[in-house]
Amino acid sequence: QVQLVESGGGYVQAGDSLRLSCAASGRTFASYAMAWFRQAPGKAREFVAAISRSAGSIYYADSVKGRFTISRDNAKNTVYLQMNSLKPEDTAVYYCAADSQSSWVGIATTAAQYDYWGQGTQVTVSS
């Protein structure tokens, strides 16, 4: 099992940047593909970005492509989400998730594929 703890959320102005971190417990972090999802009030949870175990495969939602960057540091058991040029529509609770069934280069974009979830961190972007 793995436990995930997100941090780095906050209240920013449109156009600002934030970096989210997700620290994972355990010694098998490299065994998991990792992803970020978000959920705005009254909306369904949506995929944001994912990175494979090898970090060789990365995928972004169209809404964040070119503005957000996902990365991972297996030595630090941490996955990051660098968010630039933030918009009010990026306001949501951001969750990191781990997929224990992925291949070395595989990634998934549906929430059902992910076994473990963090508690979430709030990101609020004002206009």
Side-chain angles (χ1 to χ4, degrees), residues 30-101:
S31 299
Y32 301 92
M34 301 297 297
W36 289 94
F37 289 78
R38 66 187 182 186
Q39 188 166 18
K43 295 187 177 181
R45 190 169 298 191
E46 66 171 353
F47 169 79
V48 175
I51 186 167
S52 63
R53 292 165 57 192
S54 68
S57 298
I58 291 175
Y59 192 76
Y60 297 99
D62 287 344
S63 59
V64 306
K65 201 172 295 182
R67 300 187 298 121
F68 290 11
T69 302
I70 188 172
S71 61
R72 66 187 297 160
D73 185 336
N74 287 346
K76 295 183 178 180
N77 284 9
T78 302
V79 62
Y80 304 97
L81 186 68
Q82 177 66 44
M83 305 187 295
N84 298 330
S85 302
L86 283 161
K87 303 176 181 180
E89 51 263 45
D90 294 319
T91 294
V93 177
Y94 282 71
Y95 300 89
C96 73
D99 174 7
S100 65
Q101 302 300 314

